[in-house]
Amino acid sequence: MRWNAAIRARLFFQAYGGKQAMRVVICGGGVIGACTAYFLRRHGAEVIVVERTEVAAAASGKAGGFLARDWCAGTPIDALARRSFALHAQLPKEIAGDWGYRPMNAYSGYVATDDDARRTTSSALDWLSDSIVLAQRIGTPESTAIVHPRKFTSAVMNAAIAQGAELRHGRFTGIARDADRGAVKGVGVEDDVIEADAVVIAMGPWSLLAASWMSLPALHAQNSPSILYDTGTKVSADALFLDTEIHGHATSIEVFPRPDGSTYVTGFPDTSAFPTDPADVKPDPYSMKWLQQISEQLSPLFRPEKIMAKQACFRPVTADGLPLIGRVPQDEGLYVATGHSVWGILNAPATGEALAELIAEGATRNVDLAPFDPARLKPLDLPRRRWR
């Protein structure tokens, strides 16, 4: 086993009676990992983030970035969402950079069919086609907003690094434990080990890879294709949730205009298998074809030559639809934060804040994490592996 220079320095410091801050290794450079790193640094913890590909490589870079304050009212996620919505409004005052945070309206509606009398009526928004009917305003600038997810994740990660966190590239290969007591002592990364007092698994649906080394419930992955259009300044700050039909099947489409002049369109989510490497995620050609056909019905601005990206991402989903946030059962010093489904970008700040409090102080202050305790779900029955 090879020990890097930082670990040797740490051991030397401890050997001569020094007192050093808790070291936390976070596996995953997505939005949850970035926010956890940022808030842990504010608690004075030594933080190392391990990322296999790049920051915001998966859903954290390819999600819509839509934020809603009270859309989870009446559910266990409500307090988490409200706290996180408030943090999203606060963070632009604390962190340098522009990630397109913007309060906005949100509307529900539908695409009128050929036999609908409203098909030829002008839409309430002049950039939409006549067939788009906006039925109800479901969000206001006080209750809904948007961020550019990749820029947000990168800005928060950069802020954590500026405060002393370290980002290392490498593939997570297991949990290193004390040979005699079995206590957690670090993270295996390739053929190396990074010593740690606490470890956070925040790898989205790829957190499932850690189930061989710790007690984790099953995770599923929701595949979400999307198209990014260059629409300039012609699109208003209005998020759209539209019902429509294609090839005889009812579906819903979501449209999120961003301040940088791009508009994000997504639809056709499904649960499917995902590749081991996030870099191998590719959009399904059939879903992409249908999404483009519908997009072109929505607005004359959604033309093929205006396509900036065709992409897909996998969002982590648990059996009961609630995230996993907290201590891993049967393993002192191990934590997990994943399973946020479509609300990952929204709930990342409050998740990072609460998890940092739990790790550094032993309890949370703003959000009760009890509904998200990983122990509430039956763990996968896998043989426990030891890091070599």
Side-chain angles (χ1 to χ4, degrees):
M1 174 172 5
R2 296 181 286 112
W3 297 88
N4 59 36
I7 293 177
R8 289 197 299 271
R10 177 182 174 85
L11 294 175
F12 178 88
F13 189 79
Q14 291 174 335
Y16 284 87
K19 183 178 180 181
Q20 194 155 349
M22 169 186 281
R23 170 180 283 185
V24 184
V25 175
I26 300 170
C27 298
V31 69
I32 303 296
C35 288
T36 304
Y38 175 74
F39 285 104
L40 276 169
R41 280 303 302 146
R42 290 176 57 169
H43 283 276
E46 180 184 352
V47 178
I48 299 173
V49 180
V50 177
E51 167 55 40
R52 178 174 183 167
T53 52
E54 62 179 7
V55 172
S60 297
K62 298 174 183 176
F66 180 72
L67 313 175
R69 182 188 63 195
D70 53 9
W71 286 22
C72 297
T75 76
I77 306 177
D78 186 42
L80 184 72
R82 289 177 185 272
R83 175 60 182 169
S84 219
F85 190 83
L87 285 172
H88 271 290
Q90 178 182 323
L91 287 174
K93 304 169 188 175
E94 301 178 0
I95 296 176
D98 179 9
W99 53 87
Y101 172 79
R102 178 172 70 180
M104 66 194 315
N105 291 300
Y107 292 92
S108 64
Y110 61 93
V111 180
T113 57
D114 291 338
D115 57 354
D116 191 314
R118 301 187 64 176
R119 184 165 182 81
T120 57
T121 303
S122 296
S123 178
L125 301 177
D126 60 10
W127 56 274
L128 292 174
S129 300
D130 291 346
S131 59
I132 309 305
V133 179
L134 301 185
Q136 183 179 3
R137 186 166 75 162
I138 54 177
T140 69
E142 289 71 39
S143 63
T144 48
I146 198 166
V147 296
H148 189 296
R150 181 178 297 277
K151 293 178 181 178
F152 173 70
T153 303
S154 297
V156 176
M157 185 69 80
N158 289 338
I161 293 171
Q163 293 178 6
E166 182 182 351
L167 176 64
R168 298 189 193 178
H169 291 280
R171 181 173 58 91
F172 166 74
T173 54
I175 300 297
R177 302 174 188 271
D178 182 274
D180 297 323
R181 297 182 296 111
V184 174
K185 67 176 185 180
V187 174
V189 179
E190 307 293 348
D191 293 325
D192 203 353
V193 66
I194 303 175
E195 186 185 60
D197 302 302
V199 175
V200 177
I201 302 299
M203 302 187 297
W206 289 274
S207 299
L208 192 61
L209 297 174
S212 295
W213 288 277
M214 63 189 72
S215 179
L216 287 179
L219 278 170
H220 307 286
Q222 183 188 71
N223 183 11
S224 297
S226 58
I227 300 178
L228 199 61
Y229 287 94
D230 179 5
T231 50
T233 60
K234 299 177 182 179
V235 176
S236 57
D238 300 297
L240 307 178
F241 296 81
L242 305 172
D243 294 326
T244 187
E245 185 178 292
I246 186 167
H247 304 309
H249 297 284
T251 189
S252 60
I253 300 295
E254 300 174 5
V255 181
F256 303 130
R258 295 171 174 169
D260 66 354
S262 65
T263 299
Y264 178 99
V265 184
T266 186
F268 303 103
D270 65 6
T271 301
S272 59
F274 54 98
T276 303
D277 189 340
D280 293 334
V281 174
K282 300 292 187 295
D284 174 73
Y286 292 102
S287 295
M288 195 56 59
K289 179 181 178 180
W290 295 343
L291 184 58
Q292 185 174 341
Q293 286 180 4
I294 292 178
S295 297
E296 291 172 6
Q297 294 178 30
L298 302 182
S299 173
L301 299 177
F302 298 156
R303 303 191 302 273
E305 67 271 19
K306 291 295 184 179
I307 293 176
M308 302 169 64
K310 294 182 177 181
Q311 57 192 15
C313 63
F314 285 91
R315 308 172 194 267
V317 182
T318 63
D320 63 3
L322 300 179
L324 306 174
I325 311 172
R327 292 187 181 91
V328 174
Q330 305 172 25
D331 276 308
E332 187 69 27
L334 281 184
Y335 300 82
V336 64
T338 187
H340 292 72
S341 186
V342 298
W343 296 117
I345 301 298
L346 166 64
N347 288 326
T351 296
E353 179 189 56
L355 195 56
E357 291 169 352
L358 181 64
I359 294 170
E361 302 177 4
T364 61
R365 283 175 278 163
N366 295 294
V367 177
D368 180 9
L369 294 181
F372 317 123
D373 187 347
R376 75 184 188 275
L377 297 175
K378 181 180 178 181
L380 287 169
D381 186 15
L382 296 176
R384 181 65 65 89
R385 296 168 59 185
R386 295 184 65 87
W387 190 80
R388 64 181 185 281

